[in-house]
Amino acid sequence: MINHTLKFSLVFASLILAGCSDDTDVQAKKTASSVTPFSDQQQLEQLANQLVVKYQFFSNVETDCPQHNGKAVKYCYSAEIHFDLVETDTKKTYFSEAQAWQLNFSQVYPAYASSSETFDLQHLNGDMHQITPKNSFTGFQAGQSQKVKLWVKSTLISESELMPNYWLAMAGLTPAIIVSTKTKIAAETGLELQPWVVPFSDTVKQIKSAPDDINQYASTTWLYNNEPQLALDDSHLDFAIIPTPKSVVVKDKTARLDLASGLQVKLSSNIKYVALAGAFERLALLGIKESQTGVAVSVVLNDKKNADWRAGHYQLTINDSAINIVAQDSSGAFYGLQSLASLVTLGSTLVPLVNVDDQPHYEYRGQHIDVARNFHSKAFIFALIKQMAAYKLNKLHLHLAEDEGWRLELPSLPELTQIGAKRCLDLSDKQCMQPQLGGGASDRDGYYSIADYQDILRMASKHYIQVIPSLDMPGHSRAAIKAMEARYHYYMSQEDEVAAKRYLLTDFEDKTQYSSIQNYNDNTLNICMESTYTFVDRVLEDLKALHQEAEHPLALYHIGADETAGAWLQSPVCQALIADKSNDFGDAKHLGAHFIERVAHMVTSKGIAVGGWNDGLKETDVAKMPSEVYSYIWDALPWGAHQQVSEQAHRNWHIILSTPDVLYFDFPYQVDPKERGYHWASRRVTTRSLFNFMPDNLPIHAEFRLDTLGKNYIANDKQQLDKSGDISHQPLPKNFTISGIQGQLWSETVRSDTQAEYMIYPRLLALAERSWHQAGWQVPYNDQGGRYSKDSNVFNQQLGQVRDKKWLAFSQTIGKKELAKLDIAGVFYRVPTVGAKIDGGVLSANTAIKGLPIEYRVNSGQWQAYQQPVKVNGVVQVRALTFDKQRAGRTMTVNK
């Protein structure tokens, strides 16, 4: 493999220098042919250092949206990009009208119209945009501000959606990132700063996603009033375990066992120490170490399996002299020790005397991480695995390939990471991928080597976590497509056409024009080519072998299968396939389903269960699918998620809830432009809203949740018929239960490991709670069907009060007990913004996570600790701190 890799790289580089090209690089060359090369590379770099870019967003509720292709545009947002030069010599000019330079930048949603006296702006592909000079342009000079206005058929809610790393390019020169568009890190908060973004300040026009959007900005007053106004009681803290056990019995609330002497571990003969090493390591981190003279900890596996005990069941007994754990299996023993760790309060070695009987509510308790759009390090994954295990999550869904990058080394296909794992300042996709999502800097790219990936698998095994890899296909596959095109060109240069076409994913004669959801025109595999299935098979074989070598069997593979655009229609290969009447899929509309059905059977033929996103799976014929399928439901609750669950439950498939308005951790915590994330399915996803989730009863949420516009909605779960009299919806099958739930972190706006942790924690703790524990306040599902709204009152006021009290207790446990553990583990969790109000000159403050330190200051003076309501006079600002007081959350000015 080493020789093949080296040879490929050398020959491939020579092809680049020789100008080997196809249609994909026309775009990159369009300004090069008639350009006199800019003679001074240093001058280009000076301009990149001195050009000040400012992106000024105006409004999501514009009334002057220009037409698009002759048609009126109802909604759009508008913005201006300003360019100023920091240069003391006012006579010095950078670039001139004769020089065909390019300024390239990423913007998630395409600009469909622009206006400027000196610039043209166009959308290229994906999120790439390009600004070029008009004939009227005479150069950049100090004191001469220039701008371009643009309109976008979408909404802009979060500042984080505005991508960094604008870059200058010109034929014959090395491109350079414009320094003013690079991100910075705030010293006090550790949060990202975006110097090129004019801060959003209009809490109406820049907060509304549509004219009828009634969501309110999360001001300090809103935050304060949104918290349950109930008395706090922390007497439960010593006995609290997250996730909440099925049963905890405390006979003497004052009795404690002191673990200062450590733990003397005694294991039954049917369990080995290595099976529990991960749990003992966590206890040691919390200050409870092993010792030959310590408190006896007996761990016994139950030889006689109890039919009522699920996998992961355990009993934990702490008496006045010893700790005993009896478990159904080794994972149960591991979870029993994690519950012991949960009882530990940092700074103390005392634990309460309890009898715990516990087992999980769901078998599948998952967290998904997108490491493809922006790469996240092996160290980050290791840390995530440890925290998932601490809170008894057991499935890690790794999204390893996307349009923007391929992040896993495979022995048979080195090109996937040679080309697909790095972005650079180049639009040709020949040596690297385009710098989509502002990925021109090298700090957001990389891949897991074979050794890295197997280390991750071994770490997961150690913590009873199953890794579920996903290499999304047939859409979201641009990185694979471009890598295999590079492979094709290499072998064609070697006059080996057979090898060149073996894994080719592109029909070069396909003239279909399409645009994916992410606005790509070239990100979908050609599913009519046999070489595509050869590629898929090779990937699966390599992946399975990696898992086997790491002794972590590949038990479930997620094929993706979502958001496939209208590709292939003009592909000669597809047209020939459709014309062949021996095929049974009918017409072009069923090509996508044909791909999913065929690949699903390829996966299961290798002894691997298959999973995928529900929108692709629902297009398939259940008779043509394997009997065991995991369907990940990602419809939002107001859009009819319960209907999608029902449709696929009636196929007798496993259902994994991935509902975005509850479980997407790349959505903002609050309605605030400073909060990172997308907003298409929810304006806020909080730790509390996830705690309030009832996974077994989706339609009930219409009684108390809101849609993306902040409005009530109706969920009709009764049997419904279409115009033909056929059933269009019906309640879930009697006694059906979902297999589990999964949190998702997509990484379009998540540009670092710390940002990923900010988005995951503390929401992950509520995910664990809902995955493991079925709360008593939850309403059982009505298998006769029902119609739910804010007026149906099935989830009544009494249940709501019980839930809110439980939330306050859970929040206190997080804030006063668990975040301290995250601090010593080095986890960058989100510090909540502070709710506050001033009434009669008295400041009152609170936070969503109870127990964290709060500070306030007046007229930008010294920060002071907030303990209780206090008199103030002046401009008041508030903030919270981490439990260890080493990091501050965002500062908020209290509303007058």
Side-chain angles (χ1 to χ4, degrees):
M1 186 184 77
I2 296 174
N3 291 336
H4 168 76
T5 300
L6 178 60
K7 185 177 181 183
F8 170 82
S9 301
L10 293 173
V11 175
F12 185 64
S14 70
L15 289 175
I16 300 300
L17 295 174
C20 177
S21 65
D22 56 37
D23 291 343
T24 61
D25 68 343
V26 171
Q27 199 173 63
K29 290 189 172 185
K30 65 187 180 64
T31 60
S33 59
S34 60
V35 172
T36 301
F38 191 55
S39 59
D40 193 348
Q41 176 72 40
Q42 185 178 12
Q43 194 174 20
L44 180 141
E45 293 172 358
Q46 287 175 349
L47 179 61
N49 287 330
Q50 296 177 355
L51 189 63
V52 177
V53 177
K54 291 292 182 182
Y55 192 107
Q56 184 173 15
F57 163 55
F58 293 124
S59 171
N60 281 318
V61 289
E62 283 285 22
T63 57
D64 67 338
C65 300
Q67 290 188 338
H68 185 222
N69 295 330
K71 296 181 180 180
V73 175
K74 188 175 182 181
Y75 299 125
C76 72
Y77 83 71
S78 63
E80 286 181 349
I81 305 177
H82 296 257
F83 303 95
D84 291 278
L85 192 61
V86 179
E87 173 61 66
T88 56
D89 184 354
T90 58
K91 296 182 179 180
K92 189 171 184 178
T93 300
Y94 291 87
F95 293 152
S96 70
E97 69 280 2
Q99 294 167 328
W101 53 268
Q102 306 166 6
L103 191 155
N104 301 293
F105 69 100
S106 292
Q107 178 170 283
V108 173
Y109 300 107
Y112 77 94
S114 63
S115 175
S116 174
E117 293 181 359
T118 52
F119 301 129
D120 286 320
L121 186 153
Q122 64 173 321
H123 169 243
L124 300 179
N125 191 20
D127 64 34
M128 289 303 305
H129 290 69
Q130 189 173 90
I131 294 173
T132 52
K134 290 182 175 180
N135 291 334
S136 57
F137 177 74
T138 59
F140 291 107
Q141 285 185 302
Q144 294 183 3
S145 182
Q146 303 188 65
K147 65 182 181 181
V148 57
K149 186 169 184 177
L150 54 92
W151 291 267
V152 180
K153 287 196 296 182
S154 185
T155 55
L156 180 60
I157 298 297
S158 167
E159 293 176 5
S160 67
E161 292 181 55
L162 296 174
M163 299 295 168
N165 299 324
Y166 292 39
W167 51 287
L168 290 167
M170 192 170 178
L173 298 182
T174 302
I177 294 175
I178 298 172
V179 173
S180 66
T181 64
K182 292 183 177 182
T183 59
K184 298 180 179 180
I185 300 298
E188 288 188 336
T189 64
L191 299 177
E192 180 185 75
L193 300 175
Q194 298 170 271
W196 72 99
V197 177
V198 177
F200 297 6
S201 58
D202 190 325
T203 56
V204 178
K205 290 184 177 181
Q206 294 177 324
I207 293 299
K208 286 180 175 289
S209 61
D212 58 341
D213 185 343
I214 60 174
N215 284 292
Q216 295 185 48
Y217 168 66
S219 65
T220 56
T221 300
W222 187 93
L223 290 167
Y224 184 88
N225 292 333
N226 190 56
E227 286 303 304
Q229 304 301 311
L230 298 171
L232 297 177
D233 177 7
D234 63 3
S235 61
H236 72 285
L237 281 177
D238 283 353
F239 313 99
I241 296 172
I242 294 180
T244 303
K246 189 175 182 179
S247 170
V248 179
V249 177
V250 181
K251 292 183 179 179
D252 184 349
K253 291 188 176 181
T254 63
R256 298 291 185 270
L257 175 64
D258 193 344
L259 304 180
S261 62
L263 302 175
Q264 184 184 9
V265 180
K266 299 179 178 180
L267 306 180
S268 63
S269 60
N270 54 358
I271 187 169
K272 297 186 180 299
Y273 179 87
V274 68
L276 305 177
F280 285 119
E281 287 171 6
R282 181 168 187 246
L283 282 162
L285 180 67
L286 303 182
I288 310 300
K289 300 182 179 181
E290 295 176 60
S291 170
Q292 292 297 320
T293 58
V295 173
V297 178
S298 170
V299 182
V300 176
L301 295 193
N302 188 12
D303 285 329
K304 296 180 180 180
K305 301 300 181 184
N306 190 321
D308 296 329
W309 287 15
R310 298 176 181 172
H313 185 282
Y314 70 92
Q315 293 176 331
L316 167 66
T317 302
I318 303 178
N319 58 38
D320 58 4
S321 61
I323 299 170
N324 297 295
I325 295 173
V326 178
Q328 174 82 331
D329 50 29
S330 57
S331 68
F334 182 86
Y335 295 144
L337 290 169
Q338 294 289 14
S339 289
L340 173 61
S342 195
L343 289 168
V344 171
T345 299
L346 282 185
S348 172
T349 56
L350 301 178
V351 292
L353 310 190
V354 295
N355 292 318
V356 178
D357 189 274
D358 197 14
Q359 65 183 12
H361 181 52
Y362 296 124
E363 186 278 330
Y364 189 113
R365 306 178 300 280
Q367 177 62 53
H368 156 286
I369 298 292
D370 171 11
V371 299
R373 289 187 171 98
N374 284 311
F375 184 64
H376 299 298
S377 69
K378 183 174 78 169
F380 164 82
I381 298 296
F382 274 19
L384 175 64
I385 287 171
K386 292 176 181 179
Q387 295 307 322
M388 287 176 63
Y391 300 103
K392 305 183 179 77
L393 296 171
N394 68 342
K395 309 290 183 183
L396 176 59
H397 178 172
L398 281 181
H399 189 75
L400 292 161
E402 256 295 341
D403 296 319
E404 294 78 15
W406 184 286
R407 308 300 182 184
L408 176 61
E409 180 185 14
L410 295 179
S412 302
L413 298 167
E415 301 88 352
L416 287 169
T417 46
Q418 287 175 345
I419 305 298
K422 59 182 179 180
R423 288 169 284 192
C424 64
L425 305 183
D426 185 355
L427 298 177
S428 71
D429 297 308
K430 296 297 185 183
Q431 303 178 77
C432 54
M433 300 302 297
Q434 293 179 7
Q436 302 280 344
L437 300 174
S442 61
D443 58 342
R444 286 193 273 139
D445 281 319
Y447 63 91
Y448 303 124
S449 68
I450 292 170
D452 288 337
Y453 187 66
Q454 293 183 326
D455 285 347
I456 289 170
L457 296 178
R458 294 184 184 99
M459 178 64 73
S461 295
K462 182 179 179 180
H463 291 84
Y464 293 90
I465 290 172
Q466 176 190 354
V467 174
I468 302 165
S470 176
L471 300 160
D472 211 344
M473 301 174 193
H476 297 274
S477 296
R478 192 172 187 274
I481 290 167
K482 298 304 176 184
M484 291 302 96
E485 287 178 2
R487 185 183 187 280
Y488 167 84
H489 289 304
Y490 163 69
Y491 280 107
M492 288 299 288
S493 74
Q494 301 298 296
E495 300 182 354
D496 189 346
E497 185 175 2
V498 173
K501 293 183 176 180
R502 180 171 295 129
Y503 301 118
L504 187 62
L505 307 173
T506 308
D507 176 4
F508 293 123
E509 301 303 316
D510 185 1
K511 305 303 179 185
T512 307
Q513 295 184 357
Y514 66 91
S515 180
S516 72
I517 297 297
Q518 283 78 24
N519 305 295
Y520 287 100
N521 56 29
D522 56 355
N523 78 332
T524 307
L525 311 180
N526 189 300
I527 60 178
C528 304
M529 300 168 61
E530 278 303 307
S531 55
T532 293
Y533 297 96
T534 304
F535 171 82
V536 173
D537 187 72
R538 184 67 267 162
V539 167
L540 289 173
E541 285 295 322
D542 277 15
L543 194 57
K544 182 179 179 180
L546 293 183
H547 278 248
Q548 287 176 333
E549 290 169 8
E551 298 182 331
H552 186 104
L554 181 54
L556 174 59
Y557 176 74
H558 193 291
I559 64 175
D562 65 315
E563 295 184 333
T564 300
W568 324 304
L569 299 180
Q570 296 180 38
S571 164
V573 180
C574 287
Q575 290 172 344
L577 191 66
I578 294 167
D580 182 356
K581 300 306 179 183
S582 65
N583 295 310
D584 61 355
F585 55 81
D587 54 31
K589 293 181 180 179
H590 295 88
L591 284 174
H594 166 71
F595 173 85
I596 297 168
E597 291 160 1
R598 182 171 173 181
V599 170
H601 281 288
M602 291 172 64
V603 173
T604 56
S605 71
K606 300 178 188 299
I608 306 165
V610 67
W613 301 111
N614 68 283
D615 57 325
L617 294 179
K618 73 179 180 182
E619 301 299 325
T620 64
D621 182 344
V622 66
K624 297 178 182 178
M625 289 290 286
S627 58
E628 185 177 25
V629 175
Y630 286 77
S631 179
Y632 293 69
I633 308 291
W634 66 284
D635 271 15
L637 295 171
W639 303 347
H642 67 285
Q643 295 174 329
Q644 294 298 322
V645 171
S646 174
E647 194 275 335
Q648 306 210 348
H650 280 279
R651 297 184 180 215
N652 200 31
W653 289 351
H654 299 283
I655 301 299
I656 310 301
L657 293 184
S658 305
T659 40
D661 44 336
V662 183
L663 295 166
Y664 270 34
F665 293 173
D666 52 301
F667 285 4
Y669 281 91
Q670 291 293 353
V671 180
D672 186 324
K674 296 295 184 185
E675 289 294 341
R676 182 170 303 280
Y678 281 174
H679 62 277
W680 52 266
S682 180
R683 296 301 303 276
R684 60 171 64 87
V685 174
T686 66
T687 308
R688 180 182 171 191
S689 65
L690 181 45
F691 178 89
N692 291 349
F693 188 41
M694 292 183 253
D696 291 324
N697 191 348
L698 296 191
I700 193 72
H701 294 91
E703 293 196 348
F704 56 88
R705 286 185 63 89
L706 304 173
D707 65 13
T708 54
L709 297 176
K711 299 179 180 181
N712 298 110
Y713 68 95
I714 296 172
N716 187 357
D717 194 36
K718 295 183 177 181
Q719 186 180 91
Q720 298 160 48
L721 305 179
D722 60 21
K723 294 180 180 179
S724 302
D726 297 324
I727 295 175
S728 59
H729 173 69
Q730 56 188 320
L732 292 171
K734 193 174 182 62
N735 298 322
F736 178 85
T737 57
I738 64 170
S739 295
I741 66 175
Q742 177 173 277
Q744 276 68 224
L745 182 71
W746 301 101
S747 288
E748 289 98 325
T749 66
V750 181
R751 296 185 266 271
S752 69
D753 290 352
T754 54
Q755 288 174 14
E757 291 188 334
Y758 179 96
M759 302 302 279
I760 292 171
Y761 305 97
R763 291 189 278 207
L764 180 133
L765 278 69
L767 171 68
E769 180 75 3
R770 287 288 70 82
S771 299
W772 183 275
H773 177 68
Q774 185 176 34
W777 48 261
Q778 296 187 24
V779 177
Y781 179 74
N782 177 6
D783 57 20
Q784 300 301 307
R787 188 176 186 275
Y788 302 91
S789 71
K790 65 179 180 63
D791 301 317
S792 52
N793 200 37
V794 177
F795 185 74
N796 57 40
Q797 184 178 10
Q798 182 180 3
L799 288 172
Q801 289 175 345
V802 173
R803 179 197 66 187
D804 290 347
K805 288 181 180 179
K806 292 292 186 181
W807 157 249
L808 286 175
F810 184 79
S811 174
Q812 283 183 297
T813 305
I814 293 176
K816 294 186 175 183
K817 198 174 182 183
E818 296 305 307
L819 292 187
K821 298 171 185 176
L822 295 184
D823 281 334
I824 64 167
V827 174
F828 192 94
Y829 57 84
R830 178 183 184 258
V831 180
T833 43
V834 175
K837 67 175 184 177
I838 298 175
D839 190 1
V842 175
L843 170 69
S844 299
N846 62 23
T847 58
I849 303 300
K850 309 305 176 188
L852 287 179
I854 298 175
E855 293 185 331
Y856 73 98
R857 67 180 179 186
V858 180
N859 297 330
S860 299
Q862 293 294 316
W863 288 104
Q864 303 176 63
Y866 174 87
Q867 303 292 348
Q868 59 189 6
V870 59
K871 285 190 174 183
V872 291
N873 183 21
V875 177
V876 179
Q877 292 177 307
V878 289
R879 70 180 186 184
L881 304 174
T882 54
F883 188 88
D884 62 8
K885 299 183 181 181
Q886 297 301 302
R887 177 167 55 89
R890 286 195 299 111
T891 296
M892 300 278 285
T893 300
V894 182
N895 304 75
K896 294 182 180 179

